[in-house]
Amino acid sequence: MTEKNLEDDWYPIRMLDNRVQQGEPLVLTDEARALLRRTAPTVAIHEAEAEAALTSTESATTLLHEIRRRITEGSRRLSRGLHQMYRLRDAGDLEGACQQMREILAVEVVPHYRDIAEGQLECLGEVE
């Protein structure tokens, strides 16, 4: 899935989660179910887990929060890691720069963020 396609789904997830966090109840419309169903695998939530969560508003709300959490935390982790990696690379510490990406890969589950970290390792001359 391309970054554009991800943002086409991740942005509505953020907006929906914002509304729910502000007290608006999640309404499980066909559109909301489709969004959650489509977005879950992009953050490494298995189809069966997502389907099970879509059986009630309470579990679907939990799924929504988890999708948003993975998007947000992964983005922050990757941004911090990339900043450190570039700083270390520019200072001539290629091993330290690689280590930043290895540390992200050790904990990151979102495939898009993992792909970015792996790509950076390749650019630095290390293939995982």
Side-chain angles (χ1 to χ4, degrees):
M1 188 169 267
T2 67
E3 193 169 332
K4 169 85 169 90
N5 292 343
L6 285 175
E7 192 57 30
D8 287 346
D9 285 336
W10 286 5
Y11 180 77
I13 285 288
R14 288 182 194 104
M15 295 302 98
L16 183 57
D17 189 57
N18 286 346
R19 290 193 307 272
V20 170
Q21 293 286 349
Q22 294 170 358
E24 185 179 311
L26 175 63
V27 179
L28 280 178
T29 63
D30 289 344
E31 183 179 308
R33 286 178 196 274
L35 177 64
L36 291 166
R37 198 175 274 128
R38 195 172 53 245
T39 307
T42 69
V43 295
I45 296 174
H46 295 286
E47 181 181 338
E49 185 180 345
E51 285 302 322
L54 293 173
T55 60
S56 77
T57 301
E58 183 180 334
S59 59
T61 300
T62 300
L63 175 63
L64 172 64
H65 294 326
E66 180 61 16
I67 291 170
R68 171 72 181 272
R69 184 190 70 76
R70 290 183 185 197
I71 292 168
T72 301
E73 288 181 8
S75 176
R76 287 180 184 149
R77 182 173 28 254
L78 182 62
S79 292
R80 284 190 308 268
L82 287 170
H83 175 75
Q84 278 294 98
M85 182 205 71
Y86 292 131
R87 190 182 64 72
L88 291 165
R89 182 203 61 192
D90 293 349
D93 182 0
L94 290 182
E95 176 54 33
C98 288
Q99 184 59 32
Q100 290 298 310
M101 294 301 100
R102 288 192 296 266
E103 288 174 9
I104 288 171
L105 290 169
V107 296
E108 187 55 60
V109 297
V110 175
H112 179 64
Y113 299 146
R114 289 188 60 80
D115 289 346
I116 292 169
E118 288 168 352
Q120 290 303 313
L121 276 175
E122 288 177 22
C123 287
L124 292 168
E126 180 173 315
V127 179
E128 282 290 302

